[in-house]
Amino acid sequence: MNTSVRAQSVAFNDDSMQVQLSDGRVLGVPLAWFPRLLHATSAQRAAYTLSTRGLHWEELDEDISVEGLLAGTGDLTHPHAAAA
């Protein structure tokens, strides 16, 4: 994985999350992969912070790495979430 690629922003619609990356790509992933985000309010989803590794939602106790997104990995605490 190219560790220089970082998340720059996140946007949501009813059923997916779009992550803008520093290299210009936009990754779209289903919210079903991340049940905490799926069931969160719009305000909770908007309260994320960016780090060198990915995204963090303090209130939701959710961490998503750019590396995991690029690999197609969903929430590892819910084993079947990424299998959808």
Side-chain angles (χ1 to χ4, degrees):
M1 148 88 199
N2 182 351
T3 57
S4 65
V5 176
R6 295 182 176 191
Q8 292 187 317
S9 65
V10 180
F12 295 92
N13 62 30
D14 290 340
D15 59 0
S16 66
M17 171 176 69
Q18 299 79 42
V19 180
Q20 176 73 46
L21 299 179
S22 59
D23 65 1
R25 288 181 286 178
V26 177
L27 299 177
V29 296
L31 285 176
W33 285 13
F34 303 100
R36 291 183 198 116
L37 292 175
L38 177 65
H39 299 295
T41 66
S42 295
Q44 288 172 316
R45 290 178 188 166
Y48 67 90
T49 57
L50 299 173
S51 72
T52 57
R53 294 183 40 100
L55 306 151
H56 175 70
W57 288 263
E58 182 71 30
E59 182 179 348
L60 301 173
D61 190 29
E62 182 72 85
D63 293 288
I64 300 174
S65 72
V66 171
E67 182 176 6
L69 288 173
L70 290 170
T73 305
D75 183 349
L76 297 177
T77 63
H78 293 82
H80 302 290

